[in-house]
């Protein structure tokens, strides 16, 4: 399993990677549904905390496999079988999401996560045997991932009071492993391939949000509840998802990655920052679904809490996309204002009579501003220029 050429032309996602993404998104859907249920039940803090933890396990397993496959992907039988084991682990993880949200039971989700990560460890060991130039990096990855898995399994046997501190320690250890491992040498990842993989997963998560909201709104319509409120919710949801797609894909990711190939800090910021991009996109679907349920059940929770379930994820999405995906392309001070301003306005919409619709209109206005200023000013959009 020698490293692939990071300058390989026409490198694209494989069908196996796409299959893996589709299976991961099942877990994303379960996490989004769990958050929606927690919000409608009034369990805001517990629901958000469990969502962030569950989503971390999904995102982290997906991200580590994505970067590994970008550097090492021989597409032979042993590799395919190992990846299929990882996919099985993602499905086990998805099956455990419901228990994690209802009872805080992490046993099944930990089992799926350990299966995922153990399979990845086997791939890193294989890479260490084949790629002598990066043997030290691969062995560091294998060791770090293995130690973290021992930590997650040990956590299951500790008292409940130790769970939250233990989770925080293990999450810190997990995110530190790639930094420590690649300090020994970079893996030969492909900028265009990584950019495409992140873009595809963004599309899948946005699509899951649309699906979750559509099912909830359809259910509300079937029960003949307030049609006006549902129309406003549906229109706002569509505007938000369309605008989120537009704003994210306005700048090509691979140009930023290619330009900062040696800038470790900025590259890690971009890669790790997508946790909030993906999580906020999934949480947006949960917020829309929760609001649709509230229309059918009446005012079970305060109006501000229902509004925040929609506006807070959108604001997080805007700020994160701007910080890690858009801002590095920008050159002038004026260009820095639209995204933070729109995020603040979206948060203010929490207290409006129709938070989803107002937020959708604000995002549509942001798209118009970004499009007009982008056409008038410099910046790469079509791959013909690169940022400074």
């Amino acid at each position: 399993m020698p490293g692939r050429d990071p300058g390989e032309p026409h490198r694209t996602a494989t069908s196996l990677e796409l299959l893996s993404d589709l299976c991961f998104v099942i877990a994303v859907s379960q996490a989004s549904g769990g958050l929606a249920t927690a919000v409608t039940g009034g369990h805001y803090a517990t629901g958000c905390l469990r969502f962030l933890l569950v989503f971390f396990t999904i995102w982290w397993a997906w991200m580590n496999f994505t970067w590994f496959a970008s550097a090492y992907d021989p597409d032979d039988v042993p590799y395919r079988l190992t990846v299929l084991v990882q996919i099985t682990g993602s499905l086990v993880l998805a099956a455990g999401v419901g228990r994690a949200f209802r009872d805080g039971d992490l046993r099944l989700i930990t089992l799926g996560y350990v299966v995922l990560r153990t399979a990845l460890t086997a791939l890193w060991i294989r890479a260490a045997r084949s790629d002598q130039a990066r043997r030290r990096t691969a062995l560091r990855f294998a060791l770090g991932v293995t130690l973290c898995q021992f930590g997650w399994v040990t956590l299951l046997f500790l008292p409940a009071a130790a769970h939250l501190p233990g989770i925080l320690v293990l999450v810190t250890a997990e995110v530190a492993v790639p930094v420590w491992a690649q300090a020994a040498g970079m893996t030969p990842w492909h900028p265009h391939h990584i950019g495409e993989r992140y873009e595809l997963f963004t599309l899948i998560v946005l699509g899951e949000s649309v699906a979750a909201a559509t099912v909830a709104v359809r259910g509300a319509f079937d029960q003949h509840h307030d049609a006006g409120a549902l129309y406003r919710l549906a229109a706002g949801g569509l505007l938000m998802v369309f605008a989120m797609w537009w704003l994210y894909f306005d700048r090509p990711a691979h140009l930023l990655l290619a330009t900062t190939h040696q800038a470790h800090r900025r590259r890690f910021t971009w890669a790790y920052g997508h946790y909030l991009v993906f999580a906020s996109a999934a949480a947006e679907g949960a917020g829309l679904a929760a609001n649709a349920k509230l229309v059918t059940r009446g005012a079970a929770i305060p109006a501000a809490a229902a509004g925040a379930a929609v506006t807070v994820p959108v604001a997080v999405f805007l700020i994160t996309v701007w910080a890690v995906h858009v801002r590095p392309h920008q050159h002038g001070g004026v260009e820095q204002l639209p995204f933070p301003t729109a995020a603040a306005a979206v948060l203010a919409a929490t207290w409006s009579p129709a938070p989803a619709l107002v937020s959708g209109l604000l995002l549509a206005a942001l798209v118009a501003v970004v499009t007009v200023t982008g056409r008038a000013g410099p910046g790469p959009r079509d791959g013909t220029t690169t940022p400074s």
Side-chain angles (χ1 to χ4, degrees), residues 27-41 43 46-48 50-51 54 97-98 100-102 208 286 290 293:
V28 172
S29 176
Q30 294 297 310
S32 178
L35 179 60
T37 301
V39 170
T40 55
H43 308 295
T46 301
C48 289
R50 288 177 177 173
F51 173 78
V54 168
V97 170
F101 269 95
R102 286 192 308 270
E208 188 282 326
K293 291 179 182 178

Side-chain angles (χ1 to χ4, degrees), residues 72 127-128 130-138 184-186:
Y72 303 96
S130 305
D131 190 356
Q132 293 299 318
R134 303 175 184 88
R135 177 181 173 85
R136 189 178 175 195
T137 299
M186 289 294 299

Side-chain angles (χ1 to χ4, degrees), residues 6 36 51-52 75 77 115 137 139 144 146 182 186 202 235 248 251 255 267 275 282 298 312 340 342:
F51 173 78
L52 291 173
D75 195 32
V77 171
V115 170
T137 299
L139 289 177
T146 300
Q182 295 196 78
M186 289 294 299
T202 301
Y248 182 87
R251 301 284 184 171
L255 291 180
R267 176 173 55 81
Y275 166 69
V312 171

Side-chain angles (χ1 to χ4, degrees), residues 7 9 41 75-76 121 126 147 155 178 187 191 202 206 265 312 324 367 380-381:
D75 195 32
D76 56 13
T121 299
R126 185 182 174 195
L147 291 176
L155 186 65
T187 56
T202 301
L206 287 175
R265 186 166 62 96
V312 171
V324 305
V367 168
R381 276 182 160 77

Side-chain angles (χ1 to χ4, degrees), residues 129-332:
R129 294 178 60 188
S130 305
D131 190 356
Q132 293 299 318
R134 303 175 184 88
R135 177 181 173 85
R136 189 178 175 195
T137 299
L139 289 177
R140 283 191 178 190
F141 267 113
L143 176 61
V145 171
T146 300
L147 291 176
C148 287
Q149 300 328 293
F150 277 117
W152 288 112
V153 173
T154 301
L155 186 65
L156 297 177
F157 299 95
L158 297 180
H163 284 180
L164 184 57
I167 288 171
L168 295 176
V169 169
L170 288 170
V171 167
T172 302
E174 289 274 14
V175 299
V177 168
V179 180
W180 171 64
Q182 295 196 78
M186 289 294 299
T187 56
W189 55 274
H190 193 290
H192 195 285
H193 178 252
I194 287 291
E196 182 189 35
R197 297 289 290 114
Y198 273 70
E199 289 168 351
L200 288 172
F201 202 70
T202 301
L203 282 176
I204 290 175
V205 174
L206 287 175
E208 188 282 326
S209 296
V210 173
T214 300
V215 170
V217 170
R218 183 189 64 191
F221 271 121
D222 290 344
Q223 298 181 41
H224 306 290
H225 284 271
D226 187 351
L230 290 172
Y231 283 130
R232 291 190 293 272
L233 179 64
L238 280 177
L239 281 174
M240 283 187 286
V241 172
F242 291 165
M244 290 162 75
W245 165 82
W246 192 301
L247 295 168
Y248 182 87
F249 287 91
D250 189 55
R251 301 284 184 171
H254 71 275
L255 291 180
L256 179 63
L257 289 170
T259 304
T260 61
H261 190 86
Q262 299 301 324
H264 299 306
R265 186 166 62 96
R266 291 181 65 183
R267 176 173 55 81
F268 277 113
T269 300
W270 183 88
Y272 286 12
H274 270 74
Y275 166 69
L276 292 177
V277 174
F278 297 150
S280 60
E284 179 58 25
L288 292 171
N291 275 266
K293 291 179 182 178
L294 291 173
V295 171
T296 63
R297 299 178 184 176
I301 63 173
V310 172
T311 59
V312 171
V314 171
V316 172
F317 181 89
L318 290 178
I319 289 297
T320 309
V321 167
W322 170 71
V324 305
H325 195 65
V326 176
R327 188 172 178 268
H329 290 291
Q330 296 174 330
H331 302 280

